[in-house]
Amino acid sequence: MKLGIVGLPNVGKSTLFNSLTKAGALSANYPFATIDPNVGIVSVPDERIVKLGELYHTKKVTPATIEFVDIAGLVKGASKGEGLGNQFLANIRDAIVHVVRCFEDPNIIHVDGSIDPARDIETINLELIFSDIEILDRRISKIAKQAKMDKTYAKELELLEAVKAHLEEGKMARTFEVPDDEDDEAWFKNYNLLTAKPTIYAANVAEDDLADDGASNPHVAKVREMAKEEIKQLSEEFLYILYNAALKRSNICGIIVENMRPEYLPDKQFQTINKIIGVYFKANKCPPSVGILMEKVRDNLDSVELVQTINEVSYNETDDIIIDTLEEYIKDVKLKQVYQKIPQYYNKGQAEKAQDEIKKYAEWLNSFSLHASSFIDVLGTFKERYDDNVKEVEETKRQNKPIVSRFYIDDLDEMNGGRNLRTQLTCFLAPTGVGKSHIARHIGLHAAIDDGLDVLHFQLEGSQKEVVDAYSGALIEKSSYLYEKGKLTDNEIDRYMAQINEYAGNIDVKSFPRFNSKVSTIDIKSGIDEYKKIYGKPPDVIIIDSMDLLSDASGKQWDSDHERHKRIAVANDLKDIAGDEDVWIVVTYQATVENRDWLNDEKNVLTEYNCSEAKGLARPMTHLISLNQSDNERKENIIRLHIAKSRFFKKGKTIKIATRYEDEVFYDKQRTLNISKVA
């Protein structure tokens, strides 16, 4: 979980950050004491994890963590570059902690010259709104172009313009009524707007206000009033679906009986029905019928009408979607409750209690799930599970996510047989100079050109300029040297531009300083979040060149004796990201082969039995494919691709392909076909 601490300059953000994380960030009595964001990670120890680790003799035990980001103070006009601007807001991922000054002290500077929490909150909210509008403008620009060629984009364009109009009225995105449509709901969620995130207001008060928790402080009262106004109950539309499902299925009925609270519900009618269902379920271990429920509420016409509405509602959501929605809501409510307590502890000088509260929440979050963990009767649930699978397939089709199923190498594509590569992790392993980066760019390029997929390329080896120039050369199948040195004619450039403008996909490159050992899988996740803020959705394909330069999210300093464990930890992090974001992740990894003579024997290929890097990567990867090349093959521009491991392909198969590196071409289809014919 990553929380961003925001507020005006000099209101106590860094002080709160230091108290929570013990990070020692600069805290001073002048505006903009914080320039670059301070990041602190609070570990959440859990005795259960330690015991499980001992039980299963695991090499590594990684506790849950909460990441706090202390963001430079915002001022009015930050979106236009005032103060330090709003450039650091991209660091906010999951929720916002908004620090508001609620104490009078002439010795401590206030940027606006007076204490007015309502004004301060409005200032920050407006800057968050402006930041969201910038994100929407970029998305609108892209979708508007696509809508001219494909009318299916018109629907999303309509939603984007509606959300923008809502924000331009000075309203937060979380108050926008998303149309009751699965596509609209999915798009809105993926925009990742700041003003749609849960917000916790931290009122910074003087010591004199601690005795009554700020109850006598009019500034605190105002903050509480404004915060209360923003707390939303579950929507009636969702509740109709939830209670319809609960009256049909015991598992969902049991979930609402155990977890639904009166304050989650919008009115007394829903509260009454919830109470009746709860009493009946506890007594009979099954949901009441509609008839029984009608009998119980017959004297209340409003409740009768509500039961009728619940009974008649139609929907396409699966049980998993319904449960997930309720679960996310409860998590948000819990988060708000926790952070109502934290400022109180902080203002009393009880930083340890504040940290304990956070740890308790993290432990609860780690264990909380509304999904059943009991045994499943395979035979008894056969038809029900099949129907759910059909619904999931239909849901995927409705989302209009493009198919990701090709390696853009004929033999590999034939072996894959059209299988969906989303959520999968593929590694290409090779010694230096064989072509790891070339195959990474080959997949990224053709995913964009051939299938219109959106690609995000993380360059960890070499410079951003090098990889972008190499991509540019590959686009036109010309040496990147000609592009880099301006050796193309005007006519060629015009012809190539006309060609490139027809491509539907998008290729974005994000690089890091050369050989930066501090780059971790957290940076990969942050890069994806940044991409989603700009485009409103994750990419379809993610390329990482090269994975061996990554560390895992734990922040552990791995020594040379534990490189294998590090590889597995990094790969597991990337697998989680691929699953969470529903993307295909392709990585390269450099193999260390000291015996050149061994490589020159064309009977030899890199496998987990003869290569230490392959041994560490075989288990977590969906596919592990090694690139092999002798000196003679290098002269002939030939590479052997060996299936070292695959969950779906036949392990041990070797494929010969031809390359044309002088033209930035990894896979020369015609020459490869000729090689196959000769063989």
Side-chain angles (χ1 to χ4, degrees):
M1 175 174 284
K2 189 173 183 179
L3 286 78
I5 303 175
V6 304
L8 292 170
N10 211 31
V11 297
K13 298 186 302 299
S14 296
T15 305
L16 176 61
F17 173 82
N18 288 334
S19 178
L20 294 172
T21 66
K22 300 180 181 178
L26 174 63
S27 176
N29 182 23
Y30 55 83
F32 307 114
T34 301
I35 298 178
D36 294 325
N38 299 306
V39 180
I41 297 177
V42 179
S43 179
V44 185
D46 190 333
E47 293 180 0
R48 295 169 300 173
I49 297 178
V50 176
K51 290 178 181 177
L52 285 170
E54 293 171 351
L55 182 64
Y56 290 100
H57 307 291
T58 57
K59 300 283 185 178
K60 174 189 171 187
V61 176
T62 305
T65 59
I66 295 178
E67 186 176 347
F68 291 94
V69 184
D70 176 22
I71 295 168
L74 298 172
V75 295
K76 191 174 183 178
S79 59
K80 299 178 182 178
E82 294 293 328
L84 296 175
N86 63 2
Q87 58 184 309
F88 304 121
L89 292 177
N91 291 277
I92 300 172
R93 183 187 299 169
D94 299 308
I96 296 171
V97 180
H98 185 165
V99 181
V100 186
R101 179 171 169 179
C102 294
F103 66 91
E104 303 277 354
D105 190 337
N107 297 315
I108 299 179
I109 303 165
H110 191 291
V111 290
D112 289 328
S114 62
I115 309 303
D116 185 345
R119 177 202 60 207
D120 296 351
I121 290 173
E122 184 179 349
T123 297
I124 298 298
N125 284 348
L126 280 173
E127 294 306 321
L128 297 177
I129 286 171
F130 291 144
S131 177
D132 284 347
I133 289 174
E134 288 179 15
I135 294 167
L136 292 175
D137 280 338
R138 289 192 290 267
R139 181 68 180 166
I140 287 171
S141 177
K142 181 178 181 179
I143 295 297
K145 292 178 183 177
Q146 294 172 321
K148 293 179 181 178
M149 299 177 287
D150 188 344
K151 297 301 181 184
T152 58
Y153 289 98
K155 183 181 176 184
E156 185 183 358
L157 184 60
E158 184 180 342
L159 174 67
L160 284 163
E161 290 173 341
V163 178
K164 183 184 176 183
H166 182 83
L167 293 174
E168 287 175 338
E169 293 175 1
K171 301 175 182 177
M172 310 293 274
R174 54 180 165 266
T175 65
F176 178 78
E177 293 294 332
V178 182
D180 188 15
D181 180 270
E182 293 181 3
D183 289 336
D184 286 338
E185 290 171 357
W187 288 326
F188 183 81
K189 186 177 181 181
N190 284 331
Y191 298 150
N192 202 25
L193 300 175
L194 291 171
T195 58
K197 297 183 183 296
T199 298
I200 302 99
Y201 291 105
N204 192 1
V205 301
E207 291 187 11
D208 294 341
D209 293 316
L210 298 180
D212 62 356
D213 289 331
S216 58
N217 186 318
H219 301 314
V220 174
K222 185 61 180 175
V223 173
R224 285 173 172 163
E225 182 185 342
M226 295 180 73
K228 189 176 181 180
E229 288 175 359
E230 292 191 10
I231 296 175
K232 291 177 65 178
Q233 286 121 348
L234 287 162
S235 71
E236 290 188 10
E237 289 76 13
F238 171 71
L239 290 171
Y240 297 149
I241 296 170
L242 176 65
Y243 281 94
N244 181 289
L247 293 176
K248 296 176 181 177
R249 290 183 285 282
S250 291
N251 65 316
I252 294 182
C253 191
I255 287 171
I256 68 167
V257 169
E258 291 297 323
N259 296 279
M260 188 63 72
R261 298 178 181 272
E263 60 265 29
Y264 300 169
L265 300 167
D267 54 44
K268 289 183 178 179
Q269 278 70 44
F270 270 111
Q271 293 170 4
T272 299
I273 287 171
N274 184 73
K275 187 176 181 180
I276 293 170
I277 291 174
V279 171
Y280 187 93
F281 185 86
K282 289 177 180 178
N284 299 279
K285 310 301 180 188
C286 66
S289 66
V290 174
I292 291 173
L293 195 55
M294 289 287 267
E295 177 65 24
K296 295 285 186 182
V297 299
R298 63 182 180 180
D299 295 330
N300 188 318
L301 293 179
D302 290 335
S303 295
V304 169
E305 185 179 349
L306 178 57
V307 174
Q308 290 174 336
T309 304
I310 291 170
N311 185 46
E312 294 169 1
V313 69
S314 61
Y315 56 94
N316 296 313
E317 287 85 352
T318 63
D319 286 0
D320 282 343
I321 293 173
I322 295 170
I323 295 169
D324 283 342
T325 303
L326 180 60
E327 186 175 298
E328 287 304 310
Y329 173 82
I330 294 173
K331 287 177 180 178
D332 286 347
V333 171
K334 185 75 170 179
L335 183 66
K336 287 184 173 71
Q337 291 171 344
V338 168
Y339 275 92
Q340 285 176 352
K341 299 177 182 179
I342 288 176
Q344 298 172 15
Y345 289 132
Y346 166 68
N347 288 327
K348 293 176 181 177
Q350 298 173 331
E352 290 186 4
K353 285 190 176 182
Q355 291 177 25
D356 287 343
E357 196 68 37
I358 293 171
K359 289 176 181 178
K360 288 178 184 176
Y361 171 71
E363 290 172 359
W364 172 85
L365 189 65
N366 236 11
S367 60
F368 176 70
S369 176
L370 297 182
H371 291 276
S373 58
S374 58
F375 298 108
I376 297 175
D377 178 4
V378 175
L379 300 181
T381 61
F382 175 84
K383 184 60 167 61
E384 183 180 336
R385 287 181 294 107
Y386 177 78
D387 290 342
D388 286 344
N389 290 338
V390 170
K391 287 180 181 178
E392 286 179 11
V393 172
E394 291 173 350
E395 173 64 21
T396 302
K397 290 178 180 177
R398 279 195 295 273
Q399 290 177 353
N400 287 324
K401 282 189 176 180
I403 296 171
V404 180
S405 63
R406 298 207 287 168
F407 291 80
Y408 308 97
I409 296 170
D410 287 355
D411 286 331
L412 290 180
D413 289 342
E414 185 178 344
M415 282 191 281
N416 192 51
R419 183 178 287 105
N420 189 5
L421 294 171
R422 291 184 184 272
T423 75
Q424 297 186 21
L425 179 62
T426 299
C427 178
F428 291 97
L429 174 76
T432 303
V434 175
K436 300 187 305 298
S437 297
H438 278 84
I439 193 170
R441 290 196 299 272
H442 170 80
I443 291 174
L445 184 74
H446 286 277
I449 292 176
D450 297 355
D451 290 328
L453 302 176
D454 292 329
V455 178
L456 176 56
H457 182 117
F458 290 94
Q459 187 64 23
L460 309 184
E461 190 175 37
S463 69
Q464 180 170 292
K465 185 178 186 310
E466 289 170 352
V467 71
V468 172
D469 285 347
Y471 262 119
S472 300
L475 278 168
I476 56 177
E477 296 190 358
K478 291 277 188 180
S479 169
S480 60
Y481 175 83
L482 299 175
Y483 178 86
E484 182 183 344
K485 301 299 181 183
K487 302 263 184 203
L488 300 171
T489 67
D490 291 343
N491 286 336
E492 284 178 319
I493 285 293
D494 290 342
R495 180 159 45 89
Y496 295 142
M497 284 304 302
Q499 173 186 324
I500 290 166
N501 286 334
E502 294 179 359
Y503 299 151
N506 196 62
I507 303 175
D508 288 88
V509 175
K510 185 174 180 63
S511 70
F512 295 86
R514 190 184 296 249
F515 306 123
N516 185 348
S517 60
K518 295 182 179 179
V519 179
S520 74
T521 51
I522 293 175
D523 296 295
I524 301 299
K525 184 67 170 71
S526 297
I528 299 169
D529 289 341
E530 185 181 346
Y531 184 99
K532 288 158 64 176
K533 281 179 66 70
I534 295 171
Y535 297 112
K537 63 175 185 175
D540 302 302
V541 181
I542 292 173
I543 310 288
I544 302 174
D545 184 25
S546 167
M547 178 184 148
D548 46 292
L549 298 177
L550 272 180
S551 59
D552 68 310
S554 71
K556 182 175 179 178
Q557 297 298 313
W558 299 90
D559 56 42
S560 57
D561 294 332
H562 295 87
E563 278 295 318
R564 181 167 177 263
H565 301 297
K566 175 188 173 182
R567 283 190 284 272
I568 293 172
V570 172
N572 284 332
D573 284 353
L574 295 177
K575 280 176 69 175
D576 289 342
I577 292 173
D580 292 343
E581 303 294 348
D582 196 27
V583 301
W584 180 30
I585 296 183
V586 178
V587 304
T588 65
Y589 205 102
Q590 183 166 307
T592 305
V593 181
E594 297 178 357
N595 188 345
R596 189 69 215 178
D597 291 336
W598 185 88
L599 284 175
N600 282 328
D601 186 343
E602 295 177 14
K603 295 178 183 177
N604 294 329
V605 289
L606 296 176
T607 71
E608 61 181 303
Y609 304 108
N610 56 36
C611 175
S612 61
E613 289 86 4
K615 191 174 292 184
L617 293 168
R619 188 174 70 185
M621 293 292 167
T622 309
H623 316 98
L624 177 61
I625 302 172
S626 65
L627 277 57
N628 307 270
Q629 189 179 59
S630 67
D631 288 342
N632 287 332
E633 287 172 326
R634 181 170 299 185
K635 294 174 184 176
E636 298 176 9
N637 288 332
I638 291 173
I639 289 179
R640 282 168 286 128
L641 276 64
H642 179 76
I643 313 300
K645 185 258 178 164
S646 175
R647 279 197 295 159
F648 307 112
F649 303 169
K650 184 178 179 180
K651 182 180 176 180
K653 187 170 183 177
T654 301
I655 301 164
K656 256 188 188 183
I657 68 163
T659 66
R660 202 167 76 245
Y661 285 162
E662 67 272 14
D663 293 328
E664 305 295 343
V665 174
F666 175 80
Y667 177 58
D668 188 329
K669 188 171 182 175
Q670 189 55 52
R671 284 187 60 231
T672 300
L673 186 62
N674 292 337
I675 292 172
S676 300
K677 286 180 179 178
V678 171

